[in-house]
Amino acid sequence: MTERTAKAVRKHRQTGSATRSAPPLELRAMAVEFPLVHGHPNRLPFEGVLTLVDVASDRAPNGARGHRVVLTRSAAEAALPSLLGMAVDYKAGWDGHDARQKCGIITSAELDGRQLRVGGYLFARDFPEMEQTIQAAPMGMSYELADAHVADMRASVWTLTRATFTGAAILLRDKAAYRSTSFRVKQAAPRSRRVPVAAVH
Amino acid sequence: MEMQMETNAALEATVERLAAAADLLEQAMQRLAERQQESEITIGRISATVEAALEDRLKAAEEKMAQLEAEATAHVSGEPAGRRKTLPAGMSTMLAKQGVAVDSLEAGSLDAALNGLSIEQRFAVKSQLLRSGMLA
């Protein structure tokens, strides 16, 4: 198995094509590139919207003492590197986090408008029951933050100015503090294209 | 020539003052940023799931309030909830034999109807009627 893990940081700045007066669309992305293994039985690619930036949560997140929260764009941008390599987990009942039930890994993250999109792999062989449930109900995502800085504790909506991502969870969309999150499994590569990654002598 | 030198000196002095002012502004900005960071509070852990415990507590409080309101309404209407208005079968038979209709009891007519009973029996009948709420 190769030890090389390439880290690519890409910054795209695309000017709006529809109208000249529209502000430029800014996309910030970051990814850990894994060696490609066609037909890997335990790698099921996924993508999802983890959260929104500069938007108040629909409901109070756990740990926010009943306050709705806003994750600022600058805080999310600064925290993007902390998201890579973190695990996705799920809880029995699909209604929260179980940090010890890690069922996948995040390998890419990007800020697209107000959406913080993530991608990665689920450990599909280790959690065979997961895929069926995920496709049966509308699923969302939830972030887990550590050391979040709150600008004003007395504000009715807390503004998070700094934070570190420590993980994410897949859960029923109506259990997420942000109802606009989403999660879906991407089409896996066909197994017939399986190729060896290392020669055995 | 002399005048030009004076102008240059004045310009240099102005630039120096501007540079000093810029330094002061930069220091002030730095202090403000530090104070802002100090005033921010750090929260150990936040996860973007619905705060279940809070919602459960709210639901329990709402249920309790509804229950208390229902009890208060029942109390105000003067009809204690769940109070039975029934007599034991033996007592009803005894009253029937004396010609007393259980549905239309009045204190005056009851005394007259119970004349044929002993004092002990009258006490027993009246206390039973009081307990059952049929006699005020």
Side-chain angles (χ1 to χ4, degrees):
Chain A
M1 179 179 169
T2 176
E3 292 295 324
R4 185 179 68 84
T5 303
K7 180 181 176 185
V9 180
R10 306 188 302 272
K11 286 185 182 177
H12 300 283
R13 194 180 288 266
Q14 301 168 342
T15 51
S17 57
T19 55
R20 287 190 179 188
S21 59
L25 175 68
E26 197 166 334
L27 181 77
R28 289 178 186 274
M30 190 168 277
V32 180
E33 287 180 8
F34 276 46
L36 191 64
V37 183
H38 289 293
H40 194 306
N42 207 24
R43 263 197 206 177
L44 184 63
F46 74 83
E47 63 183 10
V49 175
L50 179 64
T51 191
L52 303 178
V53 297
D54 286 338
V55 173
S57 60
D58 296 297
R59 286 187 282 179
N62 226 320
R65 304 176 196 174
H67 295 260
R68 294 190 299 143
V69 301
V70 173
L71 180 64
T72 61
R73 168 173 285 277
S74 58
E77 272 177 10
L80 274 187
S82 69
L83 194 51
L84 301 186
M86 289 296 103
V88 287
D89 61 54
Y90 78 100
K91 190 179 166 189
W94 301 90
D95 60 351
H97 289 248
D98 182 351
R100 297 191 174 198
Q101 186 120 316
K102 299 185 189 305
C103 57
I105 186 169
I106 295 169
T107 59
S108 68
E110 64 179 27
L111 271 170
D112 185 3
R114 294 197 162 180
Q115 294 183 330
L116 199 172
R117 296 169 174 273
V118 292
Y121 299 103
L122 294 179
F123 305 138
R125 175 161 282 192
D126 298 337
F127 297 88
E129 74 284 2
M130 199 168 47
E131 192 176 349
Q132 194 179 1
T133 312
I134 284 167
Q135 287 171 351
M139 305 302 285
M141 294 192 81
S142 162
Y143 58 66
E144 186 171 314
L145 298 175
D147 302 330
H149 286 232
V150 179
D152 181 3
M153 295 281 283
R154 291 166 299 178
S156 60
V157 178
W158 278 2
T159 301
L160 308 181
T161 54
R162 251 194 306 169
T164 304
F165 288 109
T166 55
I170 310 161
L171 74 176
L172 292 168
R173 197 176 290 163
D174 64 350
K175 299 292 180 186
Y178 290 87
R179 287 194 185 131
S180 303
T181 61
S182 63
F183 182 89
R184 78 179 186 93
V185 168
K186 283 162 66 177
Q187 192 69 32
R191 288 184 179 226
S192 58
R193 294 177 62 202
R194 188 182 299 180
V195 293
V197 293
V200 178
H201 299 287
Chain B
M1 187 72 176
E2 198 172 308
M3 194 169 165
Q4 194 177 355
M5 283 176 70
E6 278 175 11
T7 308
N8 285 344
L11 269 174
E12 272 177 27
T14 306
V15 167
E16 274 175 21
R17 281 205 303 274
L18 280 171
D23 275 348
L24 284 172
L25 275 172
E26 202 170 320
Q27 285 170 18
M29 282 286 289
Q30 199 171 345
R31 278 200 297 272
L32 279 172
E34 282 168 6
R35 276 188 201 169
Q36 171 75 17
Q37 282 186 4
E38 283 168 10
S39 68
E40 288 181 355
I41 306 294
T42 306
I43 301 293
R45 182 178 178 275
I46 292 178
S47 58
T49 57
V50 174
E51 190 159 25
L54 193 74
E55 293 221 333
D56 288 347
R57 285 205 300 273
L58 185 65
K59 195 177 170 186
E62 283 174 348
E63 283 172 2
K64 186 73 181 167
M65 275 175 62
Q67 185 191 340
L68 289 170
E69 276 176 5
E71 282 178 12
T73 308
H75 185 70
V76 167
S77 71
E79 290 288 338
R83 184 157 184 181
R84 293 178 60 201
K85 285 194 172 183
T86 55
L87 283 175
M91 193 64 67
S92 298
T93 309
M94 184 191 289
L95 286 170
K97 280 181 184 172
Q98 298 300 317
V100 177
V102 174
D103 292 340
S104 58
L105 282 177
E106 285 177 22
S109 60
L110 182 66
D111 287 336
L114 298 180
N115 261 343
L117 298 176
S118 66
I119 293 175
E120 291 82 8
Q121 282 176 320
R122 280 185 233 166
F123 269 120
V125 169
K126 278 196 170 181
S127 62
Q128 190 68 52
L129 287 169
L130 282 167
R131 272 201 299 274
S132 66
M134 289 180 166
L135 195 66

